[in-house]
Each structure stands twice: as structure tokens, then as C-alpha cells.
Amino acid sequence: MRVIYLFDVDGTLLLSGGAGSRALDRVFASRYGLVRAMAAIDLGGMTEPQILGEVFAQHLRRAPELGELDAIIAAYLPLLADELARTRLRVMPWVGEALDWLEGHPGVHLGLATGNVRAGAQAKLERAALWHRFAFGGFGCDAAVRADVVDAGIARGRAHAGEPVGPDEVVVVGDTVHDITAARACGVRVLAVATAVSGRASA
């Protein structure tokens, strides 16, 4: 048996109680004077570059300038850590058991495919005591388009496996249509979990 599993984070592995949204609200309030900038943004399945682009389009009526998104992410990460420390994070049902079962099978490699930037995913998963379960991943800092994030996770998974892994041996696990679409765009399998909530503020 040889399979790469790529897990989404928000809504699939855990719910962070809106910690990410509150942290971004604080950044946009401080830098741009916006109040509740995230309130009208549908976060489900979006990468963080896409989320930030939506805030700029809806509230500032312009595209981000060169380096502006990097500056926002740099300001966001310590605020995310602060929000996570004060939030009751929820690990989704049966996640631990599912990971234990998968890890018990030789040839199974566990990774991530998430719209979070790597440091943000690490902060959330460390808070949930899950970060150590995943050896590689594709992240929002790799690409804005989710299919490209999945593709980055596949490439790192193959490098981690150290042997050829075919498309039918890669499974993307996610909770939104964006996870499904990205997996299909990459020509790999997908396992959709029925935990998605439209308009969820859990990024």
C-alpha cells in the first residue's frame, strides 16, 4: 500500500473559532482603518491570498500593491497566535482516530493541502496538537490558486515518499467544493467530508 493523503485544515481537521478572521480584522483595522473587514468575506475553501484580495476588492476598491500582502501576513501571524491562545479550538470528530488508523498502514504518507500560509497552518495545528502528524504540505504561501496549492503538496509528498507515486495514489481530503475542484484539476482522488458550513468564519 502506498498512498499520499493531503488534508485541508479549516473545517476538515479543526475549527479555530474564528481566530483567523479576528486576527485579520485587527490587521485591517490597524493598517487601513477598516471595521470588521472580514464580515462579508466567504472564507470556505479560499486561500489566504484570495481572501486578502477579496478584502481589498470589497473594501478598498483596488488590488494590493507589490509587497502589501506579505506585510499583512507578517502582521497577521502574531495576532493569530494571540487569538488562538484565547480561543477554544475544536478538533473535528474522529480526526485523531482516522490519523491513527492511516499511520498504522505502511506506505501511507500524511500531508496538508490548505489555503493557510504555512506558519498559520502550523499555529493552528500546534494549538490542536496535530502539527507533528503531517510531514509535508502545500500552503497558501505557495500559490493563490488552490489547485496549485494541491500540486505543491503532491510534489512534496512524492519527495517525502522517495519513490514514484501515481495520481491514483494521491487523495485530497477536504470539506468544500474548492477542495474537490482542486483535486480534480490535479487529476488525483478526493475524499469530501460533510462538515462544510457556508460562510464559516474559521479561516
Side-chain angles (χ1 to χ4, degrees):
M1 183 178 181
R2 176 185 56 199
V3 185
I4 292 172
Y5 283 87
L6 297 173
F7 285 82
D8 172 51
V9 174
D10 297 294
T12 300
L13 294 173
L14 57 81
L15 294 175
S16 60
S21 291
R22 292 193 300 275
L24 285 174
D25 273 341
R26 290 167 65 181
V27 174
F28 279 102
S30 174
R31 294 179 66 91
Y32 304 99
L34 299 177
V35 177
R36 299 189 68 227
M38 303 301 296
I41 308 299
D42 183 2
L43 307 179
M46 295 179 68
T47 64
E48 285 184 345
Q50 288 174 326
I51 291 169
L52 297 181
E54 282 293 310
V55 175
F56 272 81
Q58 289 193 30
H59 295 289
L60 300 176
R61 307 297 180 188
R62 65 176 177 86
E65 297 177 358
L66 183 65
E68 205 165 8
L69 294 188
D70 290 340
I72 290 170
I73 292 295
Y76 158 74
L77 289 171
L79 296 180
L80 174 64
D82 178 64
E83 292 291 345
L84 287 170
R86 297 187 286 115
T87 299
R88 186 171 183 177
L89 185 144
R90 176 189 172 197
V91 176
M92 301 304 285
W94 302 106
V95 163
E97 291 85 349
L99 296 177
D100 288 343
W101 187 85
L102 290 170
E103 288 175 340
H105 290 74
V108 170
H109 305 279
L110 301 183
L112 301 167
T114 173
N116 290 275
V117 297
R118 188 182 188 279
Q122 181 174 353
K124 292 177 180 181
L125 290 170
E126 283 185 342
R127 180 77 169 80
L130 291 173
W131 175 249
H132 67 285
R133 311 290 296 259
F134 304 97
F136 53 87
F139 304 94
C141 47
D142 292 315
V145 177
R146 197 167 190 99
D148 294 337
V149 169
V150 170
D151 197 50
I154 294 169
R156 292 184 181 123
R158 286 172 172 157
H160 175 79
E163 58 181 329
V165 180
D168 61 340
E169 297 171 313
V170 178
V171 181
V172 172
V173 185
D175 68 310
T176 73
V177 66
H178 301 287
D179 300 294
I180 297 169
T181 302
R184 289 176 175 168
C186 294
V188 300
R189 298 186 178 192
V190 60
L191 175 61
V193 295
T195 55
V197 178
S198 180
R200 174 181 77 246
S202 59

